[in-house]
Amino acid sequence: MINVGVVGYGTIGKRVADAVMLQDDMKLAGIVAHSYNFKIMAASLKGIRIFSLGNRELLEKNGIKVEGDFDSLLDSADIIVDATPGGLGKENKEKYYIKKDVKAVFQGGEKADVGESSFVAQVNYDDALNKRYVRVVSCNTTGLSRTINALDRAFGVVNVNATLIRRAADPGESRKGPINALVPTLELPSHHGPDVKTVIPGIEIFTTAIVASTTLMHIHTLSVEVRKEVEREDVLKVLRKAPRIRIVSKEERINSTAEIIEFARDLGRGRGDMPEVCIWKEGIGVNGRSIFLIQAVHQESIVVPENIDAIRAMSGVPFESSFKKTNESLRIE
C-alpha cells in the first residue's frame, strides 16, 4: 500500500486526492490546509484527514478536525503530490521534502529541473521508475505529448507546428473575472514547445498561444509533418487506438468544448471531467506527409491519471500494471 499525501487542495490537488482514494494499492494519508475555505470543508465532510500548515485555530474554530501539522503528514506519507501554485513546489522540496527524505510528484507549473523526469505516462513511464522527484507536465504539454507520441510511433514525426487557444481561467476562479479580449502570448515559441521536448527529446516543435475568454477547455490546432505520405483513414485508425485519446465528431453533435463537457457530465464523470484528449474526427486532414488536426484539452483533469501513474512509477510498479489499473479505476478510454 502506497501512502500518498496531497499538498495544495485546489483544481488538481482535490482531483488527485479523489483519484488516490479509488486505487486499491494506495491510501490517502491526508491533505494540507493553510486556511479555511469551502474546499477544506468539503474534504472534511468526505472524511479526508486534514493537516494544518498554520491557522490551526481557525480550522478548528470552523469545525475542521485537524490531525496534526505538516510534519506529521510528511512522516506518514511515502509520496507527496505537490499541487501548489507554480514555484511553491520547488520551495517545498527544498524546505520540507529533502529534509524529510520523502518522495514528491510536482506539477507543470514548476520548472523542469524540479524533478528527475518530466512525465507523461504513455510516453516515458519508465523514466520515472523508482525516482524520488518527478514533474507531471502541464495540461497543454500532456495533451500535445499524447498526440505527437501516437503519430510519431506510427509514422515518424519530422516536425510539429501548433497553436494553442488557451482558456483564461478555470471555472472556479471568479477573482479573474470575464475578459473581453483575445490575448496573444508574445513569446515565440510559447513555453509549451520547449516543455514537450522535456518529455519527447529531439522532437522538432514550435508553438504559439492565444488566451481566450473561456473557462471550459483549451483548443490546439496541430500541423504535423511525418516521414512518409499517409492516408486520413490511417491517421484516424492510429488515433482511435491510442490510449487516453478520444475521437469526437459532428455526427455526435459535439461541435464545441461546451458539448464535450456536457458529454462528460452525461457519462457520469465526477465534476464533469474529461481526462482524455478529444480530437475531432472532421478536424483531421492530410496533405501528403502533413497531418492537420484540432484537439481539445480539459485543463482541470487531464493530468490526474498522470499523477496516479507517476506515484506508481516512483514506487517501482511496471507500466502495464499501473496504466491499466489507472484507466479502469478512473473509467478512461
Side-chain angles (χ1 to χ4, degrees):
M1 191 66 68
I2 308 168
N3 292 304
V4 181
V6 175
V7 179
Y9 196 70
T11 298
I12 301 302
K14 65 184 180 182
R15 286 171 166 82
V16 172
D18 284 355
V20 167
M21 291 190 289
L22 293 174
Q23 310 308 310
D24 61 13
D25 57 348
M26 297 182 192
K27 178 181 179 181
L28 183 63
I31 66 170
V32 170
H34 62 79
S35 63
Y36 176 73
N37 55 50
F38 72 90
K39 297 172 188 175
I40 299 303
M41 179 179 66
S44 177
L45 291 172
K46 290 162 72 171
I48 294 173
R49 302 175 77 221
I50 297 171
F51 296 78
S52 67
L53 184 58
N55 287 322
R56 178 167 184 158
E57 291 183 2
L58 177 63
L59 292 168
E60 292 179 333
K61 177 183 176 182
N62 284 281
I64 303 298
K65 180 183 177 183
V66 178
E67 302 287 342
D69 60 13
F70 190 18
D71 282 347
S72 300
L73 176 61
L74 295 178
D75 288 337
S76 61
D78 301 310
I79 294 179
I80 292 291
V81 174
D82 190 301
T84 55
L88 290 180
K90 185 175 182 179
E91 291 183 20
N92 289 337
K93 175 186 176 182
E94 295 171 351
K95 189 174 181 180
Y96 300 110
Y97 309 147
I98 292 175
K99 291 181 180 179
K100 281 288 186 176
D101 194 29
V102 62
K103 293 183 176 183
V105 180
F106 300 95
Q107 308 307 308
E110 302 297 323
K111 301 292 186 183
D113 61 4
V114 75
E116 301 163 85
S117 170
S118 290
F119 183 84
V120 175
Q122 66 207 68
V123 181
N124 64 342
Y125 183 97
D126 287 354
D127 289 350
L129 281 172
N130 298 307
K131 294 293 194 301
R132 299 200 63 76
Y133 303 111
V134 168
R135 180 183 70 127
V136 169
V137 294
S138 73
C139 50
N140 282 307
T141 303
T142 299
L144 289 168
S145 296
R146 286 183 189 171
T147 302
I148 293 168
N149 178 68
L151 296 176
D152 189 37
R153 290 188 176 187
F155 310 118
V157 169
V158 177
N159 62 64
V160 180
N161 289 286
T163 296
L164 288 65
I165 303 168
R166 302 176 57 199
R167 65 92 179 95
D170 286 334
E173 294 181 324
S174 61
R175 67 186 184 278
K176 293 188 177 181
I179 301 171
N180 186 23
L182 294 173
V183 183
T185 299
L186 300 177
E187 170 193 10
L188 298 177
S190 66
H191 70 271
H192 311 93
D195 206 31
V196 169
K197 292 182 180 182
T198 69
V199 180
I200 313 176
I203 200 76
E204 290 296 325
I205 179 170
F206 193 94
T207 54
T208 57
I210 299 168
V211 178
S213 53
T214 180
T215 64
L216 293 180
M217 301 180 80
H218 304 300
I219 290 281
H220 300 167
T221 63
L222 279 72
S223 172
V224 183
E225 183 185 355
V226 294
R227 299 189 184 282
K228 57 184 179 181
E229 291 196 1
V230 294
E231 298 293 331
R232 181 177 179 276
E233 286 305 312
D234 294 331
V235 175
L236 186 57
K237 185 181 298 184
V238 165
L239 294 175
R240 283 194 188 280
K241 289 183 178 180
R244 297 183 184 173
I245 292 176
R246 178 186 288 272
I247 301 298
V248 297
S249 72
K250 289 174 62 178
E251 294 172 333
E252 301 159 342
R253 298 192 180 180
I254 297 179
N255 299 307
S256 72
T257 55
E259 281 93 4
I260 292 176
I261 295 300
E262 190 69 10
F263 179 39
R265 291 171 181 152
D266 289 346
L267 287 173
R269 296 280 182 84
R271 299 187 178 90
D273 286 347
M274 180 63 76
E276 299 98 328
V277 178
C278 293
I279 300 176
W280 271 276
K281 176 183 175 182
E282 295 83 0
I284 299 172
V286 169
N287 182 13
R289 295 191 296 115
S290 295
I291 300 169
F292 307 93
L293 60 88
I294 304 171
Q295 65 183 29
V297 170
H298 187 220
Q299 75 283 356
E300 297 177 275
S301 66
I302 189 172
V303 300
V304 173
E306 311 305 320
N307 274 271
I308 298 301
D309 284 326
I311 291 167
R312 288 204 185 93
M314 295 165 70
S315 303
V317 178
F319 170 77
E320 292 79 9
S321 300
S322 180
F323 200 76
K324 184 174 185 292
K325 187 185 288 284
T326 299
N327 287 351
E328 289 177 350
S329 65
L330 300 183
R331 297 169 54 205
I332 297 173
E333 293 187 359

